Amino acid sequence: MGAMSVRPDTDAAARQAAGKAPHRAGFACFVGRPNAGKSTLTNALVGQKVAITSNRPQTTRHTVRGIVHRDDAQLILVDTPGLHKPRTLLGERLNDVVRTTWAEVDVIGFCLPADQKLGPGDKYIVKELAGIKKTPKIAIITKTDLVDSKQLAEQLLAVSRLGEELGFEWAEIIPVSAVKDTQVGLLGDLIAPLLPESPPLYPEGDLTDEPEMVMVAELIREAALEGVRDELPHSIAVVVEEMLPREDRPADKPLLDIHANVYIERPSQKGIIIGPKGKRLKDVGTKSRKHIEALLGTPVFLDLHVKVAKDWQRDPKQLRKLGF
């Protein structure tokens, strides 16, 4: 029995004897204005689509965690909603989620797009960050493929100065392009040493610890948002009612039945989602089904219904029901 209990230490001792640094594991989150490239960066680091990406602000509503497995470290990425000035009850709840998350992570990465001037929204966020004293903060200039080197240099300087003005120093400042996969690996190399010493916190194969139903709902919501960006930016919520393996299928030909409801706020929005002769909803189903099958690794039958939940963003009871 004695030999069992000392095993973790002997592992660590063996690593150090072999000249290897101790394994590290911990949590990091990317913050920044909506649409600063946070979700795309999460996906690039993890190497698989886990966080919902859309060019609408406020699409990440759940704390989706992507997990990066490395030999020397395990990095768990917590993707928080963008921090913004709240106008609705949902907005206030999202901001509370952000602050709670920041207080619990080991590293914070502030994302600033290379092609956009440092604005009041960025300063608002960095000012909030300055108040979180102990956590190391990395400034990440995203979307570097959209600018020339002079513009990039100006952005790097601007973000460095902003830290100084607010009385703290960035642990690192790094330019990346998730789309072109430029310096994404290096970003992982810079975050890893800032994590606490720890064995891996998740099994090797895990990419995210979001319950599958939540991820499936996000994929459907992403497909539903595409193409109706201006008409319905935030008034879509998706709830997966059930996911069940189809009975009487041979073992080598499984089929998963997924029943999901797409909720909108007003009856007039129904036509927008369903489209002429139901074509739009059919496209949403086809598109999201492909992503869901890739995620779950099994053929899927997707049954989608559109329902009206009147003014759900302002109603605490509806918010709870829809998982906020």
Side-chain angles (χ1 to χ4, degrees):
M1 185 63 211
M4 288 286 286
S5 60
V6 297
R7 205 176 138 224
D9 298 334
T10 52
D11 272 7
R15 286 181 74 88
Q16 297 208 280
K20 271 191 173 168
H23 187 278
R24 294 174 179 274
F27 295 83
C29 74
F30 294 141
V31 304
R33 288 186 275 186
N35 203 16
K38 303 181 292 284
S39 296
T40 311
L41 193 54
T42 299
N43 294 337
L45 271 165
V46 175
Q48 188 164 335
K49 186 167 184 160
V50 287
I52 169 176
T53 55
S54 145
N55 52 7
R56 289 304 293 177
Q58 278 324 104
T59 43
T60 310
R61 295 218 163 148
H62 298 276
T63 309
V64 177
R65 296 173 175 85
I67 301 165
V68 183
H69 300 276
R70 302 164 50 107
D71 288 342
D72 59 337
Q74 187 180 67
L75 169 60
I76 298 117
L77 296 164
V78 191
D79 197 14
T80 55
L83 190 76
H84 59 105
K85 297 216 161 73
R87 283 192 303 274
T88 61
L89 183 63
L90 174 65
E92 277 172 42
R93 279 206 193 162
L94 289 170
N95 277 0
D96 291 343
V97 170
V98 175
R99 291 202 183 82
T100 316
T101 306
W102 290 4
E104 292 165 358
V105 297
D106 302 300
V107 181
I108 299 173
F110 167 67
C111 296
L112 177 70
D115 63 331
Q116 290 170 30
K117 280 261 185 285
L118 245 174
D122 300 306
K123 290 176 182 164
Y124 174 65
I125 292 170
V126 177
K127 202 169 156 194
E128 292 274 330
L129 286 183
I132 300 167
K133 297 279 184 259
K134 290 196 174 70
T135 317
K137 294 168 270 292
I138 293 181
I140 305 162
I141 309 295
T142 58
K143 309 185 185 185
T144 56
D145 51 293
L146 301 178
V147 298
D148 59 24
S149 54
K150 181 174 175 289
Q151 223 177 324
L152 178 57
E154 283 167 7
Q155 197 71 317
L156 291 165
L157 196 63
V159 76
S160 164
R161 282 201 188 120
L162 182 58
E164 280 167 28
E165 277 167 37
L166 294 166
F168 74 91
E169 199 178 329
W170 300 103
E172 304 279 354
I173 300 178
I174 176 175
V176 302
S177 164
V179 174
K180 293 268 194 288
D181 198 24
T182 313
Q183 304 228 93
V184 172
L186 177 62
L187 175 62
D189 295 343
L190 294 177
I191 294 174
L194 299 172
L195 302 174
E197 289 184 20
S198 157
L201 302 170
Y202 287 87
E204 178 65 51
D206 288 10
L207 289 171
T208 171
D209 76 346
E210 270 296 297
E212 285 179 343
M213 282 170 98
V214 173
M215 290 188 71
V216 166
E218 290 283 69
L219 289 171
I220 295 169
R221 185 164 174 269
E222 183 179 41
L225 274 170
E226 250 168 67
V228 294
R229 287 189 281 279
D230 303 323
E231 297 148 290
L232 305 172
H234 303 325
S235 35
I236 298 179
V238 176
V239 176
V240 174
E241 298 294 336
E242 57 176 21
M243 283 171 43
L244 295 168
R246 176 87 54 99
E247 287 176 20
D248 312 325
R249 295 283 291 197
D252 59 342
K253 290 216 173 99
L255 182 67
L256 190 65
D257 283 315
I258 298 180
H259 300 279
N261 290 327
V262 178
Y263 287 96
I264 46 181
E265 291 195 295
R266 290 187 291 286
S268 59
Q269 297 170 335
K270 219 168 171 171
I272 301 173
I273 288 282
I274 293 170
K277 296 194 174 156
K279 185 178 177 318
R280 211 155 173 279
L281 189 63
K282 206 178 244 145
D283 289 348
V284 171
T286 310
K287 191 169 259 172
S288 54
R289 197 185 71 237
K290 279 197 193 108
H291 286 309
I292 294 165
E293 290 182 339
L295 173 77
L296 303 176
T298 175
V300 161
F301 172 79
L302 184 58
D303 176 40
L304 279 187
H305 293 274
V306 179
K307 299 197 165 184
V308 179
K310 210 164 152 6
D311 292 329
W312 63 264
Q313 295 194 56
R314 297 176 188 279
D315 176 350
K317 222 158 66 211
Q318 302 254 31
L319 280 171
R320 270 199 302 280
K321 191 180 120 193
L322 298 174
F324 295 111

